[in-house]
Amino acid sequence: MYSVILCNGDFPRSQRCLAALESAEYLVCCDGAIAPLADWGRRYPDALVGDLDSVPPALKQKYSSISHQETEQDTNDLSKALRFCKAVRPNESILILGAGGKREDHLLGNISILADCPDGTELWTDYGRFLVVHKNATLSLIPGDQISFIAPDPSLPITVDGVKWPLKDTPLSHWWSGTLNEVTGNEVRISLEGDGALLVYLPWHECAGKAPLSECPRLPWRKVHFCGAGGVGVSGLAHLMLDAGVQVSGSDAVDSIYLSRLKERGAEVHVGENATNLPVDTDLLVYSAAVPPSNPERQQATNLEIPQCKRGEFLARVAPYFKHVIAVSGSHGKTSTSSLIAHVLKECGRRPGYLIGGNVPNWDANAAWGSGEIFVTEVDESDRSQELMLPYASIILNIDDDHSWAIGGTAGLEDCFQRLARQSHHVITWGTPDMHRILADIPQCQFCDDTTPFSDMPLSPVPGNHSRTNAYLAQETLKLLGITPAEFQEALNTFPGVDRRLTLLAQDGDKLLYEDYAHHPTELAACFQALRETHPGCKITAFFQPHRPERVLRYGTRFAEILANNCAKATVLAPFMAWETQAPDANPENIVAKINELRPGCADIHQGKPQELLPRVLEEWTAAQDKALFVFIGAGDVGTLAKLAKDALSINPNQEE
């Protein structure tokens, strides 16, 4: 029994954790945990520690006599609470329950804090427990148990006996190098040289996987349910679980090709959201940002005490099972660049794992586990989930004003990329003044010269300066994995591109039909630059759909300027709202008015569904003269119109002109 228990963040509600709470001799509570602890109502804390900003006023008053406020901003609440525990109960072992932190994203950071804790300290999560070891330890375990070793100092030599893959005076090349092992006897003996700590991770038996390690990694989940499984990112994670032998279930509000692919592989997926879709023996529910807490399956998971986590958090939990993680970040170009890297690795026989945020022609799925050696994934700044990653190498393609409104403005956006860079072993980016300013103090950054002559790098079928610059950074990153520039260039010639990224849908002589995913001014300008580079002199007709109201408000004038400068005719569609509600101030008619101010008579608006424009598109296509280029642009359901137009025309885009 632990004499001191520290209740942290959104602590686990499992029976073992609740039983430990009830039996605690002395209970310290971080301020983020006090509300759920009070709701539980079975155990009062002996001390409340933190900056107390997140404590509801009623609870702040109730526990005022035991509150210990610490306002130091550079130290998180777990560090403050541990410091308090050591001061009031010195030399006593501590059990920490929960490691989520305020933003549900601090597990990876909090486990590193354990390195400064004494032997006997443990941290319990929903999925397993972390033990702190200094110098020597003997653990009594059961043969077949999963065990992982995490070294905050990777250079620390460790020796481990009693496991399937023993270690002898071995430094871990990175902290995740020891994350896959298996207990062979009744004891595991650990010894360390030098001053440092080793963290031992043991998943709870009910969370342990069944597949043998020789076939695939043993993940701490047997059954995972995905809400929003029809989305490209969530469905990719589901494919990874299927590859690893995990049972997959899920749902989405509408049917899609991504749901169909999962169903073909044996996943139990449903169209429509219903509490009965969630198997009662699910180990974990993963949800996308589009799925609110009111979703009936999420509510059912709460009732059944099934843990839940966001898509980005789950990606960060899966990634450490690969030895080399390549994280592709940036405001623009992530999907094209990550798919290019995965393609090159495939062509070079490296069998990469990957998670791509788009559909790559002729690939069975947008994600695969591969050999377990290399994992290529795009990571997301829009919800700051990229901060959870600890990559071998990160590419930072660019940092632009997109999503900043949701993550603390420009300062929050830059901080998000700084955190990713600090947590990466290598960082590849451009040596622009802004990148130097944002990342200057991070020694692992490799700044590529932005005057590098990459213009001779052909990238077919995806043209444009932006594609060449992204390809150059991909080439520099793959050098770290032993891929030579010559090998890269050879594989580049067969790269199929990604759907909806400057995709040629149809061609009839000099008449062309394209689709592109651009939904930010930088992307829109890059789209037109690439089209004009490839088809000089073409008369462009664009059907542009803004994506989400915030971009209409922030970038409407810039959208209008780019469309007016590049299009003979432009139709602006009603914004795609994603999961947001209508914003009255985000009026696309303002974009149309500005276009017509700059180029009279150029633009009009369509407020109905995109597919209602099909007859007009076909009529204008038929009437168009040679060197006419039609392009559907946007990240929303304008893609439906593009598909209908392609099917109606049924013209091979690869035929000779």
Side-chain angles (χ1 to χ4, degrees):
M1 185 181 80
Y2 281 83
S3 58
V4 180
I5 292 183
L6 197 166
C7 191
N8 180 55
D10 190 15
F11 61 92
R13 311 300 201 281
S14 65
Q15 289 302 315
R16 69 170 57 84
C17 290
L18 296 178
L21 278 173
E22 287 189 300
S23 65
E25 178 182 325
Y26 189 81
L27 177 60
V28 177
C29 188
C30 288
D31 60 3
I34 189 60
L37 182 67
D39 286 342
W40 180 52
R42 302 279 289 276
R43 178 67 161 82
Y44 289 91
D46 297 289
L48 175 61
V49 179
D51 58 22
L52 307 185
D53 288 347
S54 60
V55 179
L59 294 180
K60 187 177 290 187
Q61 181 178 359
K62 180 178 180 179
Y63 296 114
S64 59
S65 63
I66 60 167
S67 295
H68 302 269
Q69 186 172 24
E70 289 197 36
T71 58
E72 182 181 345
Q73 294 299 311
D74 293 333
T75 305
N76 73 11
D77 282 345
L78 179 59
S79 295
K80 296 172 185 176
L82 281 170
R83 185 167 58 207
F84 176 86
C85 290
K86 293 173 185 176
V88 300
R89 302 292 287 252
N91 303 318
E92 293 190 33
S93 59
I94 302 171
L95 171 59
I96 305 166
L97 298 181
K102 286 184 178 179
R103 295 198 309 263
E104 297 185 292
D105 65 5
H106 283 147
L107 172 61
L108 301 178
N110 284 344
I111 61 175
S112 65
I113 295 172
L114 297 180
D116 296 324
C117 295
D119 284 343
T121 302
E122 290 192 24
L123 185 153
W124 290 6
T125 72
D126 284 307
Y127 313 107
R129 58 188 178 128
F130 293 85
L131 317 178
V132 181
V133 174
H134 294 84
K135 297 299 182 185
N136 302 292
T138 299
L139 308 178
S140 297
L141 299 170
I142 299 172
D145 276 358
Q146 296 175 39
I147 188 168
S148 304
F149 308 106
I150 301 170
D153 177 4
S155 66
L156 184 70
I158 67 171
T159 298
V160 181
D161 295 313
V163 292
K164 191 169 185 178
W165 292 281
L167 302 172
K168 177 65 175 176
D169 297 328
T170 304
L172 301 181
S173 58
H174 289 291
W175 74 265
W176 58 80
S177 298
T179 57
L180 301 176
N181 222 315
E182 187 173 350
V183 176
T184 56
N186 294 314
E187 288 185 344
V188 172
R189 295 169 298 281
I190 302 169
S191 63
L192 288 73
E193 294 181 15
D195 296 323
L198 185 71
L199 306 181
V200 180
Y201 176 67
L202 299 164
W204 306 120
H205 287 119
E206 67 268 24
C207 294
K210 298 297 183 183
L213 281 171
S214 59
E215 296 178 9
C216 66
R218 297 182 66 178
L219 301 172
W221 314 284
R222 296 167 301 167
K223 296 183 179 181
V224 180
H225 184 83
F226 294 91
C227 289
V232 63
V234 176
S235 69
L237 290 168
H239 279 291
L240 292 177
M241 292 300 97
L242 289 168
D243 286 354
V246 175
Q247 294 183 45
V248 167
S249 59
S251 68
D252 209 308
V254 296
D255 204 357
S256 67
I257 185 175
Y258 297 110
L259 274 187
S260 299
R261 287 175 174 173
L262 291 173
K263 191 177 297 184
E264 289 169 2
R265 295 195 60 191
E268 182 187 338
V269 293
H270 305 269
V271 178
E273 299 163 340
N274 194 299
T276 59
N277 294 341
L278 178 68
V280 296
D281 56 349
T282 296
D283 294 319
L284 177 69
L285 182 148
V286 178
Y287 59 92
S288 74
V291 179
S294 59
N295 173 276
E297 292 160 36
R298 290 193 60 189
Q299 290 184 332
Q300 178 72 342
T302 300
N303 295 337
L304 296 174
E305 298 185 348
I306 293 171
Q308 305 179 43
C309 73
K310 297 177 183 177
R311 174 200 59 81
E313 180 185 349
F314 186 65
L315 172 61
R317 294 183 181 185
V318 172
Y321 286 88
F322 296 83
K323 186 174 182 180
H324 293 103
V325 176
I326 307 297
V328 182
S329 72
S331 303
H332 322 292
K334 296 185 289 291
T335 298
S336 297
T337 306
S338 56
S339 59
L340 172 60
I341 292 172
H343 169 79
V344 172
L345 289 167
K346 280 184 170 186
E347 292 294 293
C348 293
R350 300 293 290 272
R351 294 184 60 213
Y354 52 85
L355 177 63
I356 308 299
N359 187 58
V360 181
N362 301 318
W363 286 18
D364 292 335
N366 63 310
W369 194 277
S371 68
E373 178 75 11
I374 301 170
F375 182 54
V376 182
T377 182
E378 52 188 282
V379 294
D380 194 357
E381 84 283 2
S382 67
D383 60 357
R384 302 194 71 143
S385 60
Q386 68 182 25
E387 296 177 20
L388 308 177
M389 302 294 288
L390 297 173
Y392 169 72
S394 288
I395 300 177
I396 301 180
L397 298 169
N398 39 66
I399 301 176
D400 204 349
D401 177 34
D402 198 13
H403 302 297
S404 60
W405 58 86
I407 58 173
T410 301
L413 180 72
E414 294 180 357
D415 176 68
C416 182
F417 282 97
Q418 289 168 346
R419 287 173 183 263
L420 174 67
R422 289 192 184 98
Q423 294 163 191
S424 306
H425 190 62
H426 299 278
V427 180
I428 310 295
T429 190
W430 287 110
T432 62
D434 273 347
M435 287 300 192
H436 275 293
R437 174 182 61 80
I438 296 169
L439 305 173
D441 296 331
I442 302 172
Q444 58 267 44
C445 286
Q446 174 185 331
F447 294 99
C448 297
D449 185 353
D450 60 353
T451 63
T452 300
F454 50 81
S455 58
D456 59 346
M457 177 181 285
L459 189 57
S460 179
V462 186
N465 290 335
H466 65 292
S467 296
R468 285 187 286 272
T469 59
N470 293 346
Y472 185 83
L473 293 184
Q475 176 180 278
E476 292 302 293
T477 303
L478 285 174
K479 287 180 181 178
L480 300 172
L481 297 175
I483 304 297
T484 67
E487 291 173 316
F488 182 90
Q489 292 287 340
E490 183 177 355
L492 194 63
N493 295 329
T494 58
F495 178 52
V498 184
D499 285 352
R500 303 187 72 183
R501 272 69 173 180
L502 281 173
T503 301
L504 180 59
L505 302 177
Q507 182 173 352
D508 184 7
D510 284 343
K511 292 195 293 188
L512 303 134
L513 187 72
Y514 271 91
E515 180 183 16
D516 194 72
Y517 199 70
H519 54 286
H520 182 278
T522 300
E523 298 165 358
L524 188 62
C527 168
F528 285 120
Q529 184 277 323
L531 291 174
R532 293 204 170 280
E533 171 189 300
T534 313
H535 307 290
C538 270
K539 179 181 177 181
I540 296 178
T541 298
F543 298 86
F544 172 64
Q545 183 185 44
H547 188 264
R548 300 174 63 171
E550 184 67 33
R551 292 191 181 91
V552 177
L553 292 169
R554 296 173 76 91
Y555 312 133
T557 298
R558 184 67 182 128
F559 284 143
E561 292 170 347
I562 296 167
L563 290 164
N565 288 336
N566 287 280
C567 300
K569 187 173 183 180
T571 296
V572 178
L573 282 68
F576 183 73
M577 302 303 295
W579 55 88
E580 298 185 15
T581 57
Q582 184 66 49
D585 294 338
N587 190 346
E589 292 182 1
N590 296 334
I591 300 177
V592 173
K594 183 64 177 179
I595 296 172
N596 287 329
E597 177 187 326
L598 297 170
R599 190 166 185 167
C602 173
D604 62 6
I605 192 164
H606 174 74
Q607 293 282 21
K609 295 180 179 179
Q611 53 265 38
E612 295 170 357
L613 278 171
L614 180 63
R616 179 178 141 189
V617 171
L618 299 179
E619 180 182 347
E620 293 185 5
W621 173 272
T622 302
Q625 303 300 313
D626 287 346
K627 286 208 166 185
L629 191 154
F630 291 69
V631 58
F632 305 102
I633 307 174
D637 55 1
V638 68
T640 303
L641 176 60
K643 183 179 185 305
L644 291 172
K646 175 185 177 182
D647 293 344
L649 292 171
S650 299
I651 300 170
N652 179 7
N654 296 314
Q655 70 182 36
E656 294 292 332
E657 294 187 17

